[in-house]
């Protein structure tokens, strides 16, 4: 894992402590408080001085030591030993590196120096404090289309006003107004702002927070009505109207209206008429509503055709077809009569009058069909 150095706002501290014989022990460290991100590495640059005439035999770090108890070397603690690195130079170098920080690593660390003389041991007081923060993204308030929203990078570190927080959306850098204390301001939000957001502290780019899904809420839009099977139907048939709308959260209530009526005619995403009548014809529209608002669809027209009129229309068409067939038959019959068929002796057949009379009789028989028979004929043809 790549090591990350402490943020730029650390300061240099110099601690001087009196030795047993009036001589001075001293330590230089980069800060008395370091805040790092979980998963990163901490490097505490450190050097020390000791009274002259002493030979240092051991230098190590310990965490949260107890009074009147010999401190424990971090290397002897199982959860630390594979992540702690000391300087190889124990002459005056006490730099500490702690890799792959966990939240459990938070605490107060002290330097312990052991010399060849039993009474010349030194424990740094006070130690330096390590805070390990687990970054998390907070979305402040509901995210409504057209409004402003603040996205906060929550952490346990006391960030300075000018501390830089890096923001990403779906893995890409986010453009927006950086506010103080690591907050991102999004203005006039739309559904384009939807995505997974994460944050990271400058210097700890490789250790971002977990992502949080941001969803923009909005009232129903693009509301429309579809008709099945058709907006033009016969009396007695069934018709279904379906309302569709885009909303977040999804539409909670659908209400149906007929233009000209003062009260709703139905509710639910689908409105059905199982046995439609002529008075059911007209214009219908739906209202889609969620907790953020409502929208009406445009009206659709339902046309209901009377079955008797439909049958009469079919009868007229059939009658025209029959008359056409009879007329064509008569014409052919007449043409054949005019062709002057002769017998073998050369006499002309004079039965044309009878043929024409037969054709006239056929035509008259069609015209003389009673109205009742016409209706029955049309009805039988319709339902064959």
């Amino acid at each position: 894992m790549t090591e990350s150095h402490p943020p730029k706002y650390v300061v240099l501290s110099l601690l001087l402590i009196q030795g047993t014989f009036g001589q001075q022990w001293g330590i230089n460290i980069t800060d008395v408080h370091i805040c790092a991100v979980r998963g990163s590495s901490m490097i505490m640059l450190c050097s020390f001085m000791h009274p002259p005439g002493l030979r240092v035999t051991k230098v190590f770090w310990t965490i949260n030591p107890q009074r009147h108890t010999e401190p424990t070397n971090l290397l002897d603690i199982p959860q630390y030993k594979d992540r702690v690195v000391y300087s190889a130079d124990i002459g005056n170098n006490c730099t500490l590196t702690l890799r792959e920080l966990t939240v459990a690593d938070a605490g107060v660390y002290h330097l312990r120096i052991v010399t060849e003389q039993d009474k010349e041991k030194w424990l740094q007081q006070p130690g330096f404090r390590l805070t390990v923060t687990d970054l998390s993204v907070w979305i402040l308030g509901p995210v409504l289309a057209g409004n402003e929203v603040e996205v906060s990078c929550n952490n346990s570190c006391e960030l300075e006003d000018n501390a830089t927080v890096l923001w990403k959306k779906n893995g890409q850098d986010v453009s927006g107004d950086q506010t103080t204390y690591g907050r991102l301001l999004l203005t006039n939000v739309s559904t384009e702002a939807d995505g997974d957001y994460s944050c990271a502290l400058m210097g700890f780019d490789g250790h971002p927070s977990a992502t949080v899904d941001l969803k923009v809420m909005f009232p129903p839009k693009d509301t429309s009505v579809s008709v099945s099977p058709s907006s033009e139907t016969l009396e007695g048939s069934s018709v279904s109207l379906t309302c569709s709308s885009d909303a977040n959260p999804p539409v909670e209530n659908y209400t149906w209206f007929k233009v000209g009526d003062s009260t709703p005619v139905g509710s639910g995403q689908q409105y059905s008429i199982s046995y439609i009548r002529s008075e059911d014809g007209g214009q219908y529209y739906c209202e889609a509503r969620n907790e953020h608002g409502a929208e009406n669809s445009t009206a659709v027209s339902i046309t209901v055709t009377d079955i008797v009129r439909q049958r009469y229309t079919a009868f007229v068409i059939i009658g025209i077809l029959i008359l056409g067939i009879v007329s064509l038959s008569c014409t052919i019959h007449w043409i054949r009569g005019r062709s002057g068929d002769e017998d073998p002796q050369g006499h002309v057949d004079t039965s044309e009058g009878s043929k024409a009379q037969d054709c006239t009789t056929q035509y008259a028989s069609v015209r003389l069909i009673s109205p009742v028979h016409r209706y029955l004929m049309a009805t039988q043809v319709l339902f064959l």
Side-chain angles (χ1 to χ4, degrees), residues 269-313:
Q269 188 171 10
Q270 190 174 76
Y271 174 61
S272 298
I273 305 174
S274 57
Y275 190 91
I276 197 165
R277 298 169 299 175
S278 58
E279 55 265 33
D280 293 324
Q283 292 186 309
Y284 292 82
Y285 66 94
C286 69
E287 177 195 76
R289 180 179 295 274
N290 70 1
E291 61 186 86
H292 300 299
E295 184 185 61
N296 291 342
S297 70
T298 56
V300 296
S301 295
I302 302 295
T303 303
V304 181
T305 303
D306 186 2
I307 187 64
V308 174
R309 181 180 302 176
Q310 185 78 4
R311 290 173 177 175
Y312 179 77
T313 302

Short mmCIF file of all heavy atoms in Angstrom, two decimals, residues 269-313:
data_model
loop_
_atom_site.label_atom_id
_atom_site.label_comp_id
_atom_site.label_asym_id
_atom_site.label_seq_id
_atom_site.Cartn_x
_atom_site.Cartn_y
_atom_site.Cartn_z
N GLN A 269 -53.78 2.57 -11.64
CA GLN A 269 -53.02 2.83 -12.86
C GLN A 269 -53.80 2.44 -14.11
O GLN A 269 -53.58 3.00 -15.19
CB GLN A 269 -51.68 2.10 -12.82
CG GLN A 269 -50.75 2.48 -13.96
CD GLN A 269 -49.35 1.92 -13.79
OE1 GLN A 269 -49.10 1.09 -12.92
NE2 GLN A 269 -48.43 2.37 -14.63
N GLN A 270 -54.75 1.50 -13.99
CA GLN A 270 -55.54 1.08 -15.14
C GLN A 270 -57.03 1.30 -14.85
O GLN A 270 -57.51 1.00 -13.75
CB GLN A 270 -55.28 -0.39 -15.46
CG GLN A 270 -55.87 -0.84 -16.79
CD GLN A 270 -55.46 -2.26 -17.14
OE1 GLN A 270 -55.98 -3.22 -16.58
NE2 GLN A 270 -54.53 -2.38 -18.06
N TYR A 271 -57.73 1.82 -15.84
CA TYR A 271 -59.17 2.04 -15.74
C TYR A 271 -59.83 1.26 -16.88
O TYR A 271 -59.48 1.45 -18.05
CB TYR A 271 -59.49 3.53 -15.85
CG TYR A 271 -60.98 3.84 -15.91
CD1 TYR A 271 -61.83 3.51 -14.87
CD2 TYR A 271 -61.52 4.46 -17.04
CE1 TYR A 271 -63.18 3.80 -14.92
CE2 TYR A 271 -62.87 4.77 -17.11
CZ TYR A 271 -63.70 4.43 -16.05
OH TYR A 271 -65.04 4.71 -16.11
N SER A 272 -60.79 0.37 -16.54
CA SER A 272 -61.40 -0.51 -17.54
C SER A 272 -62.91 -0.32 -17.57
O SER A 272 -63.55 -0.12 -16.52
CB SER A 272 -61.08 -1.98 -17.25
OG SER A 272 -59.69 -2.21 -17.31
N ILE A 273 -63.47 -0.39 -18.78
CA ILE A 273 -64.92 -0.41 -18.99
C ILE A 273 -65.24 -1.74 -19.66
O ILE A 273 -64.87 -1.97 -20.81
CB ILE A 273 -65.38 0.76 -19.87
CG1 ILE A 273 -64.90 2.09 -19.28
CG2 ILE A 273 -66.89 0.77 -20.00
CD1 ILE A 273 -65.20 3.29 -20.17
N SER A 274 -65.92 -2.64 -18.93
CA SER A 274 -66.10 -4.01 -19.43
C SER A 274 -67.21 -4.11 -20.48
O SER A 274 -67.15 -4.95 -21.38
CB SER A 274 -66.39 -4.96 -18.26
OG SER A 274 -67.54 -4.52 -17.55
N TYR A 275 -68.25 -3.29 -20.39
CA TYR A 275 -69.34 -3.32 -21.38
C TYR A 275 -69.65 -1.86 -21.72
O TYR A 275 -70.45 -1.20 -21.07
CB TYR A 275 -70.59 -4.01 -20.81
CG TYR A 275 -71.66 -4.28 -21.83
CD1 TYR A 275 -71.71 -5.49 -22.53
CD2 TYR A 275 -72.64 -3.32 -22.11
CE1 TYR A 275 -72.69 -5.73 -23.47
CE2 TYR A 275 -73.62 -3.55 -23.05
CZ TYR A 275 -73.64 -4.76 -23.74
OH TYR A 275 -74.62 -4.99 -24.68
N ILE A 276 -68.95 -1.39 -22.74
CA ILE A 276 -69.02 0.04 -23.05
C ILE A 276 -70.32 0.37 -23.79
O ILE A 276 -70.82 -0.41 -24.60
CB ILE A 276 -67.78 0.47 -23.88
CG1 ILE A 276 -67.62 1.98 -23.85
CG2 ILE A 276 -67.86 -0.07 -25.30
CD1 ILE A 276 -66.26 2.43 -24.33
N ARG A 277 -70.88 1.51 -23.47
CA ARG A 277 -72.10 2.00 -24.09
C ARG A 277 -71.80 3.32 -24.80
O ARG A 277 -70.75 3.91 -24.60
CB ARG A 277 -73.19 2.20 -23.03
CG ARG A 277 -73.60 0.93 -22.31
CD ARG A 277 -74.47 1.24 -21.12
NE ARG A 277 -73.76 2.08 -20.14
CZ ARG A 277 -74.33 2.58 -19.04
NH1 ARG A 277 -75.61 2.31 -18.79
NH2 ARG A 277 -73.64 3.33 -18.22
N SER A 278 -72.76 3.75 -25.62
CA SER A 278 -72.54 4.96 -26.39
C SER A 278 -72.30 6.16 -25.49
O SER A 278 -71.49 7.04 -25.81
CB SER A 278 -73.73 5.22 -27.32
OG SER A 278 -74.94 5.32 -26.57
N GLU A 279 -72.96 6.21 -24.31
CA GLU A 279 -72.79 7.35 -23.41
C GLU A 279 -71.42 7.34 -22.72
O GLU A 279 -71.02 8.32 -22.08
CB GLU A 279 -73.89 7.41 -22.35
CG GLU A 279 -74.05 6.15 -21.54
CD GLU A 279 -75.13 5.23 -22.11
OE1 GLU A 279 -75.30 5.20 -23.34
OE2 GLU A 279 -75.80 4.56 -21.30
N ASP A 280 -70.69 6.20 -22.82
CA ASP A 280 -69.34 6.14 -22.25
C ASP A 280 -68.30 6.81 -23.14
O ASP A 280 -67.15 7.00 -22.74
CB ASP A 280 -68.91 4.69 -22.01
CG ASP A 280 -69.75 4.03 -20.92
OD1 ASP A 280 -70.10 4.74 -19.96
OD2 ASP A 280 -70.05 2.83 -21.04
N GLY A 281 -68.69 7.10 -24.36
CA GLY A 281 -67.75 7.78 -25.26
C GLY A 281 -67.42 9.16 -24.75
O GLY A 281 -68.18 9.80 -24.03
N GLY A 282 -66.23 9.65 -25.11
CA GLY A 282 -65.80 10.99 -24.69
C GLY A 282 -64.30 11.03 -24.48
O GLY A 282 -63.56 10.14 -24.91
N GLN A 283 -63.83 12.07 -23.79
CA GLN A 283 -62.40 12.27 -23.55
C GLN A 283 -62.07 11.93 -22.10
O GLN A 283 -62.76 12.38 -21.18
CB GLN A 283 -62.00 13.71 -23.86
CG GLN A 283 -62.09 14.06 -25.35
CD GLN A 283 -61.55 15.46 -25.62
OE1 GLN A 283 -61.94 16.42 -24.96
NE2 GLN A 283 -60.66 15.56 -26.58
N TYR A 284 -60.99 11.17 -21.93
CA TYR A 284 -60.55 10.75 -20.61
C TYR A 284 -59.09 11.17 -20.38
O TYR A 284 -58.29 11.20 -21.32
CB TYR A 284 -60.65 9.22 -20.47
CG TYR A 284 -62.06 8.69 -20.45
CD1 TYR A 284 -62.76 8.48 -21.64
CD2 TYR A 284 -62.70 8.39 -19.25
CE1 TYR A 284 -64.06 7.99 -21.64
CE2 TYR A 284 -64.00 7.88 -19.23
CZ TYR A 284 -64.67 7.69 -20.42
OH TYR A 284 -65.95 7.19 -20.39
N TYR A 285 -58.76 11.47 -19.11
CA TYR A 285 -57.37 11.77 -18.75
C TYR A 285 -57.12 11.28 -17.33
O TYR A 285 -58.06 11.00 -16.56
CB TYR A 285 -57.05 13.26 -18.87
CG TYR A 285 -57.79 14.16 -17.90
CD1 TYR A 285 -57.22 14.52 -16.68
CD2 TYR A 285 -59.06 14.66 -18.21
CE1 TYR A 285 -57.90 15.35 -15.80
CE2 TYR A 285 -59.74 15.48 -17.33
CZ TYR A 285 -59.15 15.84 -16.12
OH TYR A 285 -59.82 16.65 -15.25
N CYS A 286 -55.83 11.13 -16.98
CA CYS A 286 -55.47 10.66 -15.64
C CYS A 286 -54.62 11.69 -14.93
O CYS A 286 -53.94 12.51 -15.56
CB CYS A 286 -54.72 9.32 -15.70
SG CYS A 286 -53.07 9.43 -16.41
N GLU A 287 -54.65 11.64 -13.60
CA GLU A 287 -53.78 12.46 -12.75
C GLU A 287 -52.85 11.52 -12.01
O GLU A 287 -53.29 10.57 -11.35
CB GLU A 287 -54.60 13.27 -11.75
CG GLU A 287 -53.73 14.10 -10.80
CD GLU A 287 -54.51 14.60 -9.60
OE1 GLU A 287 -54.77 13.78 -8.67
OE2 GLU A 287 -54.84 15.80 -9.57
N ALA A 288 -51.52 11.78 -12.10
CA ALA A 288 -50.52 10.99 -11.38
C ALA A 288 -49.97 11.85 -10.24
O ALA A 288 -49.62 13.01 -10.46
CB ALA A 288 -49.39 10.56 -12.32
N ARG A 289 -49.86 11.26 -9.04
CA ARG A 289 -49.45 12.06 -7.87
C ARG A 289 -48.49 11.27 -6.99
O ARG A 289 -48.67 10.06 -6.77
CB ARG A 289 -50.68 12.45 -7.06
CG ARG A 289 -50.39 13.28 -5.80
CD ARG A 289 -51.67 13.64 -5.06
NE ARG A 289 -52.52 14.51 -5.87
CZ ARG A 289 -52.40 15.83 -5.90
NH1 ARG A 289 -51.44 16.43 -5.19
NH2 ARG A 289 -53.21 16.56 -6.65
N ASN A 290 -47.42 11.95 -6.51
CA ASN A 290 -46.59 11.43 -5.43
C ASN A 290 -46.45 12.51 -4.37
O ASN A 290 -47.11 13.55 -4.44
CB ASN A 290 -45.24 10.92 -5.93
CG ASN A 290 -44.32 12.03 -6.40
OD1 ASN A 290 -44.65 13.22 -6.35
ND2 ASN A 290 -43.13 11.67 -6.87
N GLU A 291 -45.57 12.31 -3.39
CA GLU A 291 -45.48 13.24 -2.27
C GLU A 291 -44.95 14.62 -2.65
O GLU A 291 -45.06 15.57 -1.88
CB GLU A 291 -44.59 12.66 -1.17
CG GLU A 291 -43.16 12.40 -1.61
CD GLU A 291 -42.35 11.69 -0.54
OE1 GLU A 291 -42.40 10.44 -0.49
OE2 GLU A 291 -41.70 12.39 0.25
N HIS A 292 -44.39 14.75 -3.86
CA HIS A 292 -43.81 16.02 -4.27
C HIS A 292 -44.68 16.80 -5.27
O HIS A 292 -44.32 17.91 -5.65
CB HIS A 292 -42.41 15.80 -4.87
CG HIS A 292 -41.45 15.17 -3.91
ND1 HIS A 292 -41.10 15.76 -2.72
CD2 HIS A 292 -40.79 13.98 -3.95
CE1 HIS A 292 -40.26 14.98 -2.07
NE2 HIS A 292 -40.05 13.90 -2.80
N GLY A 293 -45.78 16.23 -5.71
CA GLY A 293 -46.64 16.96 -6.63
C GLY A 293 -47.46 16.04 -7.51
O GLY A 293 -47.53 14.82 -7.30
N ALA A 294 -48.13 16.63 -8.52
CA ALA A 294 -49.01 15.87 -9.41
C ALA A 294 -48.93 16.45 -10.81
O ALA A 294 -48.52 17.60 -11.02
CB ALA A 294 -50.45 15.90 -8.90
N GLU A 295 -49.33 15.63 -11.79
CA GLU A 295 -49.39 16.07 -13.19
C GLU A 295 -50.54 15.34 -13.88
O GLU A 295 -50.76 14.15 -13.65
CB GLU A 295 -48.08 15.79 -13.92
CG GLU A 295 -48.06 16.33 -15.34
CD GLU A 295 -46.80 15.95 -16.11
OE1 GLU A 295 -46.56 14.74 -16.28
OE2 GLU A 295 -46.07 16.87 -16.52
N ASN A 296 -51.27 16.08 -14.76
CA ASN A 296 -52.35 15.49 -15.56
C ASN A 296 -51.82 15.13 -16.94
O ASN A 296 -51.00 15.85 -17.53
CB ASN A 296 -53.51 16.47 -15.71
CG ASN A 296 -54.24 16.70 -14.39
OD1 ASN A 296 -54.11 15.91 -13.46
ND2 ASN A 296 -55.00 17.78 -14.33
N SER A 297 -52.34 14.04 -17.48
CA SER A 297 -52.01 13.66 -18.85
C SER A 297 -52.87 14.47 -19.82
O SER A 297 -53.83 15.14 -19.42
CB SER A 297 -52.28 12.17 -19.06
OG SER A 297 -53.69 11.93 -19.05
N THR A 298 -52.54 14.42 -21.09
CA THR A 298 -53.44 14.95 -22.10
C THR A 298 -54.61 13.99 -22.27
O THR A 298 -54.48 12.79 -21.99
CB THR A 298 -52.70 15.12 -23.44
OG1 THR A 298 -52.14 13.86 -23.82
CG2 THR A 298 -51.58 16.14 -23.33
N ALA A 299 -55.76 14.50 -22.71
CA ALA A 299 -56.97 13.67 -22.82
C ALA A 299 -56.93 12.83 -24.09
O ALA A 299 -56.39 13.25 -25.12
CB ALA A 299 -58.21 14.56 -22.81
N VAL A 300 -57.48 11.61 -24.01
CA VAL A 300 -57.63 10.74 -25.18
C VAL A 300 -59.13 10.55 -25.43
O VAL A 300 -59.94 10.53 -24.49
CB VAL A 300 -56.94 9.39 -24.96
CG1 VAL A 300 -55.45 9.56 -24.82
CG2 VAL A 300 -57.51 8.66 -23.76
N SER A 301 -59.51 10.40 -26.70
CA SER A 301 -60.92 10.27 -27.07
C SER A 301 -61.29 8.81 -27.26
O SER A 301 -60.55 8.04 -27.90
CB SER A 301 -61.19 11.04 -28.37
OG SER A 301 -61.00 12.43 -28.17
N ILE A 302 -62.43 8.43 -26.70
CA ILE A 302 -63.01 7.09 -26.89
C ILE A 302 -64.28 7.24 -27.72
O ILE A 302 -65.20 7.97 -27.34
CB ILE A 302 -63.35 6.42 -25.55
CG1 ILE A 302 -62.09 6.31 -24.67
CG2 ILE A 302 -63.98 5.06 -25.76
CD1 ILE A 302 -61.03 5.41 -25.25
N THR A 303 -64.32 6.59 -28.88
CA THR A 303 -65.47 6.65 -29.79
C THR A 303 -66.19 5.31 -29.76
O THR A 303 -65.58 4.27 -29.99
CB THR A 303 -65.02 6.97 -31.22
OG1 THR A 303 -64.29 8.21 -31.22
CG2 THR A 303 -66.21 7.08 -32.15
N VAL A 304 -67.51 5.35 -29.45
CA VAL A 304 -68.31 4.12 -29.37
C VAL A 304 -69.30 4.11 -30.54
O VAL A 304 -70.08 5.05 -30.71
CB VAL A 304 -69.08 4.06 -28.03
CG1 VAL A 304 -69.89 2.76 -27.95
CG2 VAL A 304 -68.11 4.16 -26.86
N THR A 305 -69.26 3.06 -31.36
CA THR A 305 -70.14 2.92 -32.52
C THR A 305 -71.35 2.07 -32.17
O THR A 305 -71.21 0.96 -31.63
CB THR A 305 -69.37 2.30 -33.70
OG1 THR A 305 -68.24 3.11 -34.00
CG2 THR A 305 -70.26 2.22 -34.93
N ASP A 306 -72.60 2.54 -32.55
CA ASP A 306 -73.84 1.81 -32.29
C ASP A 306 -73.86 0.56 -33.14
O ASP A 306 -73.62 0.60 -34.35
CB ASP A 306 -75.02 2.73 -32.62
CG ASP A 306 -76.35 2.08 -32.24
OD1 ASP A 306 -76.34 0.97 -31.70
OD2 ASP A 306 -77.38 2.72 -32.50
N ILE A 307 -74.21 -0.62 -32.56
CA ILE A 307 -74.19 -1.89 -33.27
C ILE A 307 -75.21 -1.93 -34.39
O ILE A 307 -74.97 -2.48 -35.47
CB ILE A 307 -74.40 -3.06 -32.29
CG1 ILE A 307 -74.21 -4.41 -33.00
CG2 ILE A 307 -75.78 -2.97 -31.65
CD1 ILE A 307 -72.83 -4.62 -33.52
N VAL A 308 -76.42 -1.29 -34.19
CA VAL A 308 -77.44 -1.29 -35.24
C VAL A 308 -76.95 -0.50 -36.44
O VAL A 308 -77.09 -0.92 -37.60
CB VAL A 308 -78.76 -0.70 -34.70
CG1 VAL A 308 -79.78 -0.55 -35.82
CG2 VAL A 308 -79.30 -1.57 -33.58
N ARG A 309 -76.36 0.63 -36.21
CA ARG A 309 -75.81 1.43 -37.31
C ARG A 309 -74.70 0.67 -38.01
O ARG A 309 -74.58 0.71 -39.24
CB ARG A 309 -75.28 2.74 -36.75
CG ARG A 309 -74.71 3.67 -37.81
CD ARG A 309 -74.19 4.96 -37.20
NE ARG A 309 -75.25 5.65 -36.47
CZ ARG A 309 -75.07 6.77 -35.77
NH1 ARG A 309 -73.85 7.28 -35.66
NH2 ARG A 309 -76.08 7.34 -35.15
N GLN A 310 -73.91 -0.05 -37.22
CA GLN A 310 -72.83 -0.82 -37.83
C GLN A 310 -73.40 -1.91 -38.75
O GLN A 310 -72.91 -2.14 -39.85
CB GLN A 310 -71.97 -1.45 -36.73
CG GLN A 310 -70.73 -2.18 -37.22
CD GLN A 310 -69.63 -1.22 -37.58
OE1 GLN A 310 -69.78 -0.03 -37.40
NE2 GLN A 310 -68.55 -1.74 -38.12
N ARG A 311 -74.51 -2.57 -38.29
CA ARG A 311 -75.12 -3.62 -39.11
C ARG A 311 -75.76 -3.04 -40.36
O ARG A 311 -75.72 -3.63 -41.44
CB ARG A 311 -76.16 -4.38 -38.28
CG ARG A 311 -75.56 -5.24 -37.18
CD ARG A 311 -76.62 -5.84 -36.29
NE ARG A 311 -76.06 -6.71 -35.27
CZ ARG A 311 -76.75 -7.29 -34.32
NH1 ARG A 311 -78.06 -7.07 -34.23
NH2 ARG A 311 -76.17 -8.08 -33.43
N TYR A 312 -76.37 -1.88 -40.21
CA TYR A 312 -77.00 -1.25 -41.38
C TYR A 312 -75.95 -0.90 -42.42
O TYR A 312 -76.16 -1.10 -43.62
CB TYR A 312 -77.76 0.00 -40.94
CG TYR A 312 -78.42 0.72 -42.10
CD1 TYR A 312 -79.60 0.24 -42.67
CD2 TYR A 312 -77.85 1.87 -42.63
CE1 TYR A 312 -80.19 0.88 -43.74
CE2 TYR A 312 -78.43 2.52 -43.70
CZ TYR A 312 -79.61 2.03 -44.25
OH TYR A 312 -80.18 2.68 -45.31
N THR A 313 -74.84 -0.42 -41.96
CA THR A 313 -73.75 -0.09 -42.89
C THR A 313 -73.29 -1.34 -43.63
O THR A 313 -73.05 -1.33 -44.84
CB THR A 313 -72.57 0.54 -42.13
OG1 THR A 313 -73.03 1.71 -41.45
CG2 THR A 313 -71.44 0.90 -43.06
#
